Amino acid sequence: MAAAAAAAVAEPKTKYDRQLRIWGDQGQAALEKASICLLNCGPTGTEALKNLVLGGIGSVTVVDGSKVELADLGNNFLLDEGCLGQSRAKSICSFLQELNDAVKAKYVEESPATMIDTNPSFFSQFTVVIATQLPESSLLKLDGICRSANIVLVAARSYGLTGLVRVSIKEHCVIESKPDHFLDDLRLHKPWTELKQFAKSIDICDKDAVVHKHTPYIVILVRLAEKWADAHDGQLPSTRQEKREFKDLIRAHMLNVDEDNYKEAVESSYKVSVAPGISNDIRQIIDDASSEVNLSSSDFWVLVAALKEFIANEGNGELPLEGTIPDMTSLTEYYVSLQKIYQAKAESDCLAMEHRVKSILKRIGRDPESISRAYIKTFCKNTRKLRVCRYRSLEEEFSSPALSEVQKYFADEDSCFAMNFYILLRAVDRLAANYSRLPGIFDSTGFTSEIDEDVPRLKLAAVSVLSEMGLNGASLSEDLITEVCRFAGAEIHPVAAFIGGVASQEVIKLVTKQFVPVMGTFIFNGIDLKSEVLAL
């Protein structure tokens, strides 16, 4: 019995082993609790959902009123000839269930546009709504519904050789933003008492070659930074010349040219000159109006309020210490001692934060134990990397775009192509509303001549979009207008797979609250194989 229970626990860890190394147990738990709604299960939506199902998302609900047609077999790998004439939503759910039987899959045979118009409360049960291939009118309505219910909306569309992905939510707070490059939190510019005492306990002038070449560079920098400050009125090196002289001071203490620890100290000498205090990005967060918390405030903002108090008191102007150190050349005993010193300081800071969090929770009328210690600890380890993402509504973006940014995009060659596609994809919906079909789709065989008829129609619709955006002087590429007509609304599988992949990646970021989701409208240019994020 015990062996069976252990196997049941181990099975998900084995199944999801690789992704657990990226977003950890907490991220995976968030995925397994999430409920996703997909509108339209064409190739774009199917690709997005396939990635999420394989990743172990909790449950999916597919809303699609279409039947499987012959054309679906050519661009949707989850459908086969046996599905012809059957419900597309039902067929897709059946195949998705085969990919991962741990995921609950349901379907609703109804047009997404009808669902949006007649049953808006339906969407409030989901964590994220993925809207694929929706026309602008339906997407605007859905965005309003999701925003009022505080549900994340991810809009995705593939159209010929182009496509877009857009996230919409009032506010998304990220603790584990996991930037590619970030300076180690070593506090060499402001070492605390225990670190100073440990550094002083090691003689950096020891003539023993083994000890000298295995003294951690943290110790070397703490000692020599103190020596420098004593000779410069308490100031650390700040100018380029002073930093060069400080490196020379480090080299002067080398006994041999092959001492890797001193080379590490020279390479890391800039860490001594890190400006004390808090970055502008974090300062904006702690000064945000939301940090004045009340009973309805989220856990994130309660922690920000506690952080603000910590900085002013126990932190002495600094954030909580992360508590980790990088690999370095060192005697094992020295390295272990350093680890313990950093961990102890981080634990002390976390404890102080925990007390402040409980005090704030009690003050605003919440249970002091309602925020777990694990959550507080994760927050403390990532206070330098916090991000708050706020998105404009689609209606705001469409009616009053950031004109200065738009003008910059039109002035840049690569961004101009992305901007052209953005305008043309909106213009396509206008033409479709007027003619009850997408440009380039005809019943007759006169393809070339009728394409020529749609080009000026699409151009006129695009000019209308530009005018509403306040861009009367902007011009669009005639070649791109023609190409978009030639696309004829096709969902080409490679493009759909790419756009679906980007959409699912953003959903994972939003659900796990790790990494920073795309801030703007992601445009894929399949003609030149380039992509751009437009902040409109």
Side-chain angles (χ1 to χ4, degrees), residues 352-418:
M353 274 285 291
E354 189 177 0
H355 288 317
R356 294 201 168 273
V357 168
K358 288 181 177 180
S359 174
I360 290 170
L361 288 171
K362 187 175 181 180
R363 192 164 70 235
I364 64 176
R366 282 181 58 183
D367 178 2
E369 304 296 330
S370 60
I371 299 180
S372 70
R373 191 168 198 282
Y375 187 70
I376 297 170
K377 191 172 183 179
T378 299
F379 184 90
C380 289
K381 285 183 68 176
N382 291 279
T383 49
R384 296 187 305 145
K385 305 161 191 170
L386 303 176
R387 290 290 300 271
V388 175
C389 306
R390 291 184 174 124
Y391 296 85
R392 301 179 78 203
S393 69
L394 292 178
E395 186 175 358
E396 288 171 328
E397 178 182 308
F398 292 167
S399 61
S400 56
L403 285 179
S404 60
E405 292 300 311
V406 173
Q407 287 161 358
K408 285 180 188 174
Y409 295 140
F410 271 114
D412 179 79
E413 184 178 352
D414 289 339
S415 300
C416 184
F417 267 80

Side-chain angles (χ1 to χ4, degrees), residues 2 8 75 83 147 177 256 336 409 414 505 513 534:
N75 63 5
C83 302
R147 280 180 167 258
S177 62
N256 297 295
V336 171
Y409 295 140
D414 289 339
Q505 171 183 275
K513 297 191 175 179
L534 304 176

Side-chain angles (χ1 to χ4, degrees), residues 186-192 195-196 236 272 276-277 315-318:
L186 301 179
R187 303 292 166 91
L188 301 179
H189 63 287
K190 197 174 182 180
W192 61 100
L195 181 57
K196 284 182 181 178
L236 293 171
V272 167
N316 192 23
E318 297 281 353

Side-chain angles (χ1 to χ4, degrees), residues 2 47 118 178 184 186 255 268 276 347 404 430 460 517 535:
E47 286 287 346
T118 62
K178 300 185 178 180
D184 297 313
L186 301 179
L255 296 180
S268 301
E347 183 65 25
S404 60
R430 300 206 174 182
L460 190 63

Side-chain angles (χ1 to χ4, degrees), residues 29 66 89 149 331 384 457:
S66 305
L331 290 174
R384 296 187 305 145
R457 292 169 181 165

Side-chain angles (χ1 to χ4, degrees), residues 449-512:
S449 62
E450 291 183 306
I451 278 283
D452 291 341
E453 292 175 15
D454 270 353
V455 169
R457 292 169 181 165
L458 183 59
K459 184 176 180 179
L460 190 63
V463 169
S464 171
V465 173
L466 286 168
S467 178
E468 287 182 14
M469 293 174 70
L471 298 165
N472 294 314
S475 61
L476 298 176
S477 164
E478 297 284 346
D479 288 343
L480 276 188
I481 294 173
T482 303
E483 282 302 308
V484 170
C485 287
R486 285 165 55 83
F487 292 162
E491 280 188 86
I492 302 169
H493 186 259
V495 177
F498 180 75
I499 294 297
V502 173
S504 59
Q505 171 183 275
E506 297 311 306
V507 170
I508 288 170
K509 292 178 187 176
L510 292 157
V511 170
T512 62

